[in-house]
Amino acid sequence: MRVPGKALLFGEYGLLAGSGGPGIVLTLPQTSFLVRVEVVSVSLHAVPFLEVKSAFLGPEGLCASLERWQTWCDEGARTQGGFSSHERYFFSVLFPFRDALAHAGLAVRVAVLEAFSPSLGLGSSSALLVGVHEGLRRLVPLGPHDAFEAALKSIHLYQGRGSGYDAQVQRAALGTLTPKVFVVVPGEQCTDVSDVAFSSWQRDFAAGCPGFSLHASGTYAPTAELLATPEPVSKSSGMPHTSYASAHTALAEEWRAGDFSLRRLPELCARSREIALHQGLFGNPNGPFALTCSTLQSQGVAFKTTGAGHGDALLCVDSVPGKSKFPETSPDSLPNTPQSRLLGSPFFRLEDHMSKRLPLSLVRLQEKLLAARERGELLIQAGDRAYASAPSNIALVKYWGKKPGALQVPVNASLSFSLAGFRTFTCVEARASLDPLDSLPAAVGPSFPKAVPAHRIAFSEALFARPHPADEGAFEPPDAKVSRFLGRVLEGVAPDLSLSLVTVNTFPTACGIASSASGFAALTAALGELLDVERHLGAEGAQHWRVEWARIGSGSATRSCFEEREARFVAWEPQGTNTEVACLTRGLPSCEGMDALHHGVVVFDAARKAVSSSEGHEGAATSPLQALRVAGIPRAFAAAVQALASNDFETLGRVAEEDAFAMHAVMQTAQPPACYFRPSTETFLSAFVAWRDSRNLPIFWTLDAGPNVHLLYRAQARDLVIDFVRQFAADEPDLRAYLENGKAAPAGLVLGARAVRSLFEAREKLLVRHEFSSEAKEAYNTHNPIGSGSGSVHA
């Protein structure tokens, strides 16, 4: 079971003192416990035992016989000496299950596979308790409610007068992969208010409000100690309520009534801190925690503790939007303790989370994969491989510009034509086992964030072709974009998995032929094969998983997740803000005449473009022409869809050319401007348009974010196009043209994972010293994706 940590933002002392709440709690799935509970043996004649493997307990863990456990369970023995703190804790966790376990003769092993430090005050003891109880509930006949009641008994045994709110929240957040916000009334209700809170925070971000971050304080007062003393009653005339508990509760109610507005945080933090100061919850005035708080307060940082004072994590309001105060804080200005230096490394920053929020539909699919892993159904061994390929695409109605504050959501709808012959082939290999029992953590520490597994990647422009000099020999680290993408897909589902990638394009990379679209679509499909998403999510769920993750990797990649047998034309449309999906990607119906279109590209410059598409998208809104272009997209999109259905190639071509002109006008008037044209691009377009119009030929052009011209034409115009490009190429020594690659998949190349695997295996065997053997030449001629026949021009 994966159990998230939690931070109690407001209402803390009211919850802990049992005054009834409410409290506002944030769960932290990336700071979590992963607990596996399994039955080692079952025997009515053997003496059951309990074995616990956890970094908390040192390398030996804990192994206790049933007899020792029962000795502790005897009334009065729990307070006697002779038992270690680890034994007392785990015995109390398992206490409600003792009769069922003893009667069944179970030998139980508990493995704590991932954990966070108890010194953080993020609910480590309750996380372990919930994980063990939920695991045991599957082994013995206890219902969900009974299991929770058993958990509360365990808390009372170990902590004394505890409310159990943390177990209540963490149980409600089991199996989740994104932070959630709960309003809690102990023992009564635990209400998920994430949608309200996140919507409010998103609005506040858009209005320029700063967010908040959580930092380790470095000190921690055990909850049992705080609860051992009855709640003091306030005698300060400045107190808003008659007790400290009700004062904390009032702050939670106030923030909730204001829809969790970030604007209120500085004021509420100051008031919470003042209440805690009157209570004396900061401990020794000369202690490290009190000194740390004094330093932060003197620097003008708005902050509060997330527990009942005396330590815990600190909730700190960022000084300006997107910028925490802590990176500016010199460690020397804080108390000279190892713990206080943790304040420079927030383990949760709200803005980081809000900027990468996944669509709810994708979160649910990820959580299904997580559940499959925790059931032991998702096992990957080192050396396991997965293969996939995906086509590039050319947008006929372009998308340019993204919605601010969203994750790869376009400002307008787009429509593309899949280029089946321009493909990326990808092989993904696991470099480590995904069976969590293969390696238990050696130590638990409060370092955040967790280290990202290393990945390797190798690029090559064409199958069986000699790599570029920079690519020869060794694997190279992937660029940051690929690394972030891999980390995000695997986060929560398989964060400990590292990968080796080999990706092969059949066309020039990063020069305006949508290599990122085919690349991320193929990578996503290969990851899906490795994680076996179709078995766990079903065919429809797996396709949605691929489409959504490809979009997050590269926006246009979502249109490359369809093979030609499914759809040659694909639409990508943004959706409303209140839907589960941010975008909708769908194949469009088209008549046979449109499906048979030929496509070619005239390559003037195959070098990596100076301004990436990502950079260009960021500047789109600065162009005075962008709003006008976006306003005209619905008309152009509707006309293109109608043209597909009615075999109106002329209308489709006209829409494509007009939108290409409009998009490049936006690019060239943005700040900073991005001009992707080359002199040869303009020369070719002028000559091509004059030649086409003089003959009234139905041949059309378009450009993506690059200098290379895409051509669309019917079969009867094929020879005319080839002749024109050959004549033009006579004066352009560097020109290359691929004039039929978008028509269909190359003959003899089946595009399933098995065929792609065969292609990679042949490549490994036949590519020796980057030279062709006779056998390799035969395989190359059979499966050559570039297909340099009569339809291609090489000057």
Side-chain angles (χ1 to χ4, degrees), residues 450-751:
K450 294 180 181 178
V452 177
H455 303 287
R456 300 189 304 174
I457 189 168
F459 291 98
S460 183
E461 184 169 312
L463 291 176
F464 303 114
R466 183 182 183 89
H468 294 298
D471 293 336
E472 281 200 60
F475 284 98
E476 297 294 332
D479 60 34
K481 187 175 182 179
V482 176
S483 292
R484 286 195 303 270
F485 176 74
L486 292 172
R488 178 165 290 181
V489 175
L490 300 176
E491 184 180 44
V493 175
D496 48 347
L497 183 65
S498 61
L499 302 172
S500 173
L501 315 178
V502 177
T503 182
V504 178
N505 283 348
T506 67
F507 58 97
T509 300
C511 63
I513 316 181
S515 58
S516 63
S518 58
F520 277 100
L523 176 55
T524 301
L527 290 173
E529 287 286 327
L530 191 67
L531 297 174
D532 203 2
V533 296
E534 191 150 340
R535 179 165 70 94
H536 300 300
L537 307 179
E540 185 176 344
Q543 175 65 2
H544 185 71
W545 186 90
R546 288 188 291 264
V547 163
E548 284 292 277
W549 274 122
R551 172 182 67 81
I552 291 168
S554 174
S556 57
T558 193
R559 300 189 307 247
S560 285
C561 292
F562 296 82
E563 289 294 352
E564 61 176 348
R565 64 181 180 274
E566 300 168 319
R568 294 301 306 279
F569 296 90
V570 180
W572 177 32
E573 304 161 272
Q575 302 295 292
T577 56
N578 295 323
T579 59
E580 288 193 4
V581 293
C583 310
L584 176 64
T585 307
R586 59 190 176 99
L588 292 173
S590 55
C591 60
E592 185 177 349
M594 287 296 189
D595 288 339
L597 286 181
H598 290 233
H599 163 272
V601 59
V602 183
V603 180
F604 298 102
D605 189 350
R608 185 176 294 270
K609 52 196 177 190
V611 180
S612 70
S613 296
S614 296
E615 294 168 328
H617 281 292
E618 292 177 2
T622 65
S623 167
L625 303 178
Q626 173 71 342
L628 183 63
R629 187 194 77 86
V630 172
I633 290 296
R635 175 193 58 80
F637 184 84
V641 172
Q642 178 60 33
L644 291 177
S646 60
N647 199 23
D648 187 354
F649 182 44
E650 287 72 15
T651 296
L652 183 68
R654 185 179 69 253
V655 167
E657 291 188 358
E658 289 175 355
D659 194 50
F661 264 130
M663 185 182 75
H664 280 269
V666 168
M667 295 170 174
Q668 294 174 24
T669 55
Q671 296 298 324
C675 184
Y676 294 105
F677 275 54
R678 297 288 182 270
S680 52
T681 306
E682 297 179 354
T683 302
F684 177 85
L685 283 178
S686 297
F688 169 77
V689 171
W691 168 78
R692 176 196 67 184
D693 291 349
S694 67
R695 291 164 174 78
N696 196 27
L697 296 173
I699 308 170
F700 300 94
W701 65 269
T702 187
L703 284 93
D704 265 353
N708 305 311
V709 179
H710 296 256
L711 301 176
L712 287 172
Y713 50 96
R714 293 192 187 275
Q716 54 267 36
R718 170 183 177 275
D719 292 339
L720 293 173
V721 173
I722 291 175
D723 288 342
F724 174 80
V725 173
R726 279 178 172 165
Q727 291 177 20
F728 188 86
D731 298 324
E732 294 286 339
D734 295 328
L735 181 145
R736 289 186 296 168
Y738 308 100
L739 297 179
E740 289 189 39
N741 282 277
K743 175 186 174 185
L749 182 60
V750 181
L751 302 178

Side-chain angles (χ1 to χ4, degrees), residues 49-393:
F49 68 92
L50 167 70
E51 181 182 4
V52 181
K53 298 293 289 185
S54 169
F56 282 136
L57 311 182
E60 300 302 322
L62 168 68
C63 184
S65 67
L66 180 65
E67 182 180 5
R68 183 167 176 79
W69 180 22
Q70 290 179 329
T71 299
W72 177 87
C73 290
D74 289 340
E75 189 65 32
R78 291 191 295 276
T79 59
Q80 298 175 3
F83 295 95
S84 69
S85 60
H86 299 316
E87 285 180 313
R88 290 197 301 271
Y89 176 72
F90 280 103
F91 288 166
S92 66
V93 167
L94 293 171
F95 179 75
F97 292 91
R98 69 167 182 165
D99 291 339
L101 291 175
H103 182 268
L106 299 181
V108 176
R109 174 180 293 143
V110 177
V112 182
L113 307 173
E114 295 178 19
F116 54 87
S117 172
S119 67
L120 297 175
L122 300 180
S124 59
S125 59
S126 58
L128 183 55
L129 180 148
V130 170
V132 172
H133 275 260
E134 285 297 313
L136 284 173
R137 187 171 64 84
R138 301 179 182 184
L139 305 178
V140 299
L142 277 181
H145 181 74
D146 293 335
F148 179 64
E149 292 299 321
L152 290 182
K153 290 180 182 178
S154 297
I155 292 177
H156 297 158
L157 283 170
Y158 186 69
Q159 294 183 339
R161 193 170 54 92
S163 68
Y165 83 89
D166 40 11
Q168 193 173 1
V169 170
Q170 288 166 308
R171 181 172 166 270
L174 280 174
T176 58
L177 293 173
T178 60
K180 286 184 174 291
V181 182
F182 291 92
V183 171
V184 187
V185 177
E188 296 180 16
Q189 62 186 37
C190 179
T191 306
D192 183 352
V193 295
S194 301
D195 289 344
V196 175
F198 290 145
S199 295
S200 171
W201 294 341
Q202 192 69 60
R203 289 194 302 269
D204 289 342
F205 279 141
C209 293
F212 62 81
S213 51
L214 296 175
H215 299 251
S217 71
T219 59
Y220 174 62
T223 305
E225 295 180 12
L226 290 173
L227 297 177
T229 304
E231 177 195 2
V233 177
S234 171
K235 296 180 181 180
S236 170
S237 59
M239 292 296 294
H241 292 76
T242 58
S243 71
Y244 294 114
S246 60
H248 285 292
T249 298
L251 293 182
E253 292 174 334
E254 197 171 329
W255 200 36
R256 181 189 186 185
D259 284 342
F260 312 99
S261 171
L262 297 179
R263 298 177 184 275
R264 299 291 309 279
L265 266 188
E267 173 204 349
L268 294 175
C269 285
R271 288 166 57 187
S272 175
R273 200 166 58 247
E274 187 68 18
I275 296 169
L277 185 63
H278 277 282
Q279 285 180 271
L281 291 181
F282 287 102
N284 182 349
N286 296 318
F289 178 67
L291 292 176
T292 296
C293 291
S294 297
T295 303
L296 296 177
Q297 194 166 5
S298 68
Q299 294 180 348
V301 178
F303 75 97
K304 68 177 293 294
T305 63
T306 63
H310 237 211
D312 288 24
L314 297 177
L315 181 152
C316 306
V317 181
D318 294 344
S319 54
V320 294
K323 191 174 184 181
S324 172
K325 183 82 175 213
F326 281 105
E328 302 173 2
T329 304
S330 168
D332 296 334
S333 67
L334 298 174
N336 188 23
T337 65
Q339 294 89 345
S340 65
R341 297 178 186 273
L342 295 172
L343 287 169
S345 303
F347 53 85
F348 177 87
R349 178 174 282 127
L350 177 63
E351 190 160 16
D352 291 344
H353 168 69
M354 296 300 290
S355 66
K356 65 176 186 178
R357 275 191 81 196
L358 299 178
L360 181 57
S361 60
L362 183 56
V363 170
R364 287 173 174 166
L365 294 177
Q366 289 288 96
E367 289 173 352
K368 285 186 178 179
L369 293 178
L370 172 61
R373 182 186 178 184
E374 294 184 351
R375 291 194 302 267
E377 298 173 1
L378 178 57
L379 298 177
I380 300 175
Q381 301 300 316
D384 285 354
R385 289 184 175 187
Y387 304 84
S389 81
S392 180
N393 69 80

